[in-house]
Structures are given as structure tokens and as C-alpha cells.
Amino acid sequence: MNALPCPVFLFSMDSDQFWAAPTTTGGLKAYYQAYGKHTSQYQLELIHFRDSDAVAAWQSQWHNTVLPMLKSALDAGQRPVVGFSMYTWNAAEFLSLIHQIKVACPEVLCIAGGPHVQQAEDYLFEDPIDLIILGEGETTFQEILDTPLGNPWTDVKGLAFLENGEIVKTPERQRRTLLDELPSALDVIDLVDADGNCLYDSISYETSRGCPFKCAFCEWGTGAIGTKMYQFSMKRVRSDWRRIVDAGIKDIWLADSNFGALKEDLEKAQYICELKAETGLPSSFATSWSKKHSPRVQDIVLLLHRNGLLPHYQLALQTLTPLALELSNRKNMGANKYEPIAKQMASEGVPIAAELIWGLPGDNLPEFERNLDQLLRTFPNLNIFAYTLLPGTEFYERRDEYKIETIPVAGYGKAKGEYVVACHTFDRDQGIEGYFLITAHILFAHGHLLPLSIRYLALQDNITTAPLLRNLLRAVCAEYQNELRDIDLSDRMVVYENRARLYTAILQNPDALYTLLRQQVFAYLDAANCKQHSDAIANIIDLDQALSPRVGGPTETEYSFNFDVISSKTALDCLSLPTPEDLSPKAQRFKIKSPGGVGTILKDPDGGGWLRGEILSPTIELQTVRIIHPNVKPQLSPQ
């Protein structure tokens, strides 16, 4: 009988700026403790990293801590285990860690699971992974630990491994339909320290599994998770959410694929609002929304918004190009349906956004630019992503058919995925120019440097925003190259990869930045024969500068304007043009309250909207639009 239980280390890592409890590996541990045959023979430890720096720190000292434990177990005739929960954001770090561990201790059993390794062929031949779990992992992991030493892995369903140089895949494990049979990860995760202080800012939580869609670019419905949706009971959800808020966790981020699609989702939203009213927590509640906007989805969105729980509501359009939609196996709602929804929610101050992807097979740059202008006119916020080709997706399997060309994500190789830069419908130059364009949008619109100015121009009939966005970014790259000498800002992909550094650098001197931006905007209007907009855009740029994110601590600064700031901003917030009277000369002074934080709290443009300035007005609640503007006629009921 062994004196000490065999060590099993389960590794997980958060994505950037997301410090959450390790619910994935916690679920594996909880399941084994509930159903394992030899629970007393194993010591399961969760090793959860906040970021890549934490991984590096662990790697520098593990030889003195974990390695001796692994070798002692081997000397005692045991089979120590290291298991990795693999996602796009942690695959590079974890593959490096796997190589390091297997070099130092080749006999340790290395298991990998998660969405990123479902294409097992890409890893088993090159990386020292012994077993890859395909599909849901709880039961498979339990059976691995309970398989006697020396027995073949072929008796365990849902596995891939190498045998005599060939990949063996055992029979598929059927998905679990009764999710309440899974014990809660919260049973084994410490949410507070010995003094009762909360250990995590956030938690990722799933109330359902499955996705009914089979988008060709996504692994969610086509891969391990499956298309049929199953859900945990409300009793289970209520119990877990109560434990989460009692621990003091501020943000709950759902891992559901289509929140709002199930009738029980409204009850879940009602309960989270009850918790908020009772305890003050959570502070926010985010999810991936149903791909179909329904009256129930709208009710949930408005309910969460009224209770201060909605960080954003995103319509996942992804593309408006017909061929790209067809090849992606998608069908969006018509513009005549989503435009009224967007305008209504914008008028009510709901943080609605649309998602758009550049680089999908079937798309091309001219059509993408037209789509961009259409959505800039329709949504107050756009989240634009570069298409990364992911293992286990339909496009990954059909990459030769669609002539997909990729480049590795800088510095990481295949571990972090591959940027699509060309395919059968756009060439490499178009592809990389698309990355440059979306970088410009991320900085100047999404990063809240010129959001109102860009929206004002997009709402004009005779202006295309894509050339202007590129001009702005090229001018910024040329102006700041000397300050960022270690990166080549003439390389468009390098600019995309280093957009966060560029963003924080240009905000160090706002006056110089906005002088440059004004020059470029006026030059563009002149070249486009649109100088009639110059006076109006000069005013709106002044407002954008006053509201832009700031370096340093919180401030309250008084600004002078020469137009009706309140009415003009209200119209633009509601996706309508200010009237000529709004923009006519009128001296006004307002205090702008800025939270500061650029370079400290805010390190990339994705958070620009969160740390923008706020106009302090005694008469108007500006952060949620309450005025009815002459050009704003929102729909008041769902379509």
C-alpha cells in the first residue's frame, strides 16, 4: 500500500484580463471525487494561472516543488498525471509547459482536453501528449484514472492516442443528457481565502451545453459540444449562483452558446436580477447570446439592462456578404429586422453591438467595406474580429478546397491558431489590407478615440469610412514610428499584432494625437469633395477628444464647445444625424469626468468604451439616452 496518494495536477489558465475561478478543471476534480473508484489513491491538485507571466513564474520553480512529487510517485510504482485544459488563449504556453515536463519526467502521463486539441492529429505526432480527450471530458477523465496500470486505453471511450506510430481513436463517447448528474465545480474550488476575502473577480459558468448551429468557422456546434442543447436544472443554477454571490464574485460570464434560446433562460435572468437587488452582486452578467433575436431575448436584454447587469448585447451577424454566409452555414436576420432593433435599443441606452469577422471564405474586401459602413450606420458599437482558423472546424477541414492561406499568430505558431490572409475569394494583399482596416476601426472607433466622428461620417450618404480609417492609421504609424522603434509599423500585420502598444503610446500626448487626426480628417473630406461637413466634424472631433480615454488618475475638466453638445451627442448615440440647428454656433461649457487609467487599467483599445469620459450635466442622465431628438424615432415594441 502506498504511503502517499498519487499526484494528479490539472492545469488551467485564464484569457487576457479575465481572472476567474477554474471551473473547467474543478469540474473534472469534482466528478472524480463523486464517481471515481479509487479516490483515496489520488491527490488531485488544481494549478490555475492568471496569465502567461504566472506560467513563466511556475516554470522557474517547479523543479523544486512538483517534479520531486512526480518522481517519488514513479519510484513508488504509481502513474502520476498532468492534465491540461486547452483553449486558443493558453495553448502556446501549455504546449511549452508540456514539453518541459515530459523532458524532465518522460514517464508522467500527460492528458490534454478542451476545444483546441479536438483535431488530435495536429498534436499527437509533434507534441509529447499521451492522451487527448475527445468530447466531454468528465467521465473519460474518471475512467482514465481508474484504468489499471498496464491495461490498454482502447477500453476508454472518447480518446485519441498514438500506438505503433499510428493514431488510435476509441469509440465516441455519447454526450451526457442529464447535466445535474455532474457535481458542481464549486464543491472543490475555494472561492474565498482563510479570512473570507474573495479570490476571484469573475467566474465562467455554464447553464447549458450544446449549440444548434453548425457555423463552419466555429468549433462550438460542429465539434465536441454537439448540436443538441441540454441544460442544468434551475435548482442547480440557483444553488450555484447563490454560492457565487455569497463569495463576493463580481462578474458572472456564462459559457452558454445561445443564451435566450431556451424558455428557462428568462427565469435565469429574473433570478440573477433578484440576487442583484438583494446582495448588490453580480456587477455584470455576460454571455454569448442567441443567434436569433426573439421577443424572449429582447425581454431578457431589457431586464438585465434595467438592473444594471448588461455589459453588452451582441447580435452575432459575423458577415453580411451572401457567399460568406452560405459557406459559413449561416443565415442572418434581414436588415429590415435588425436595424429597428438596434435603433430601439440604442435609444434606450442598451449597449447593443454587432459582431463582424474579416477573413471568412466567401468574403472580399470591397464587400466587407460596404458591410462595415452599413453596420456603422446601424449599431452604436461594432466588435470586429480577424478570422483565426481553428482546429476541428469545417473550414479547417476544407482549407485546401477553399484555397485558404494562413500565417501563424505572431510568436506562437499553430498553438494560438492561424490568421487567414487569403482564400479563393480574396488574395493575400486584400487579406492583409483587411487586417489593417480592422486595426484602424479597433483603435479609432472601438477604442473610443473618434467614435462619434466616424459615426457622423458613416451616416452621410456620400462618404465611405474605410479609406478614412486607413489614412488615419497610416498617419499614426508614420508619426509614432520613432517612439516604437522595436516594431515595424510599415508592416500591416505587425501593426495589427501590436495594436495595443500603438493605442497606449498615441494616448500619451492627446493634443498632438488629435492635431494629427484633425489634419487627416479634413484632408480626406477635401479629397472626397465633402468640405461642407468640415465645420460640423470639427465640432464633433472636439467632443470626441474631450470624451476619449486618458492617461493618469480620475479627473474632472471643464471644456468649451461651440455647438449644442447635448442634442448632437443624443442624436449620434441614437444613430441619427444632428440637425443643422444642433451644430450651429452656440457657446457651451461642460465638465467632463474621466476615470483615467490608460496604460495601467486600460492596456488595449478593447476597453476604450469602458473608460471613456462622461459629461457632467445637472439636467440629463447622459449615460443612458433619455431625450427624444427630432431625428430619433425609435421602435417601442419588438418586431
Side-chain angles (χ1 to χ4, degrees), residues 479-480 506 509-519 545:
E479 184 70 20
Y480 289 86
I506 63 180
N509 186 341
D511 289 338
L513 170 64
Y514 279 90
T515 296
L516 177 65
L517 298 182
R518 284 184 181 85
Q519 291 171 351
Q545 181 175 356

Side-chain angles (χ1 to χ4, degrees), residues 251-278:
D251 302 308
I252 296 177
W253 303 81
L254 288 196
D256 296 21
S257 66
N258 282 264
F259 190 67
L262 301 170
K263 65 180 187 298
E264 292 83 0
D265 290 342
L266 178 57
E267 185 179 353
K268 298 167 193 173
Q270 291 168 338
Y271 180 62
I272 207 70
C273 291
E274 291 173 15
L275 286 175
K276 171 82 170 187
E278 177 188 343

Side-chain angles (χ1 to χ4, degrees), residues 74-91:
L74 290 167
D75 291 342
Q78 298 171 331
R79 180 178 56 193
V81 176
V82 291
F84 295 84
S85 180
M86 305 279 280
Y87 293 86
T88 302
W89 60 79
N90 66 30

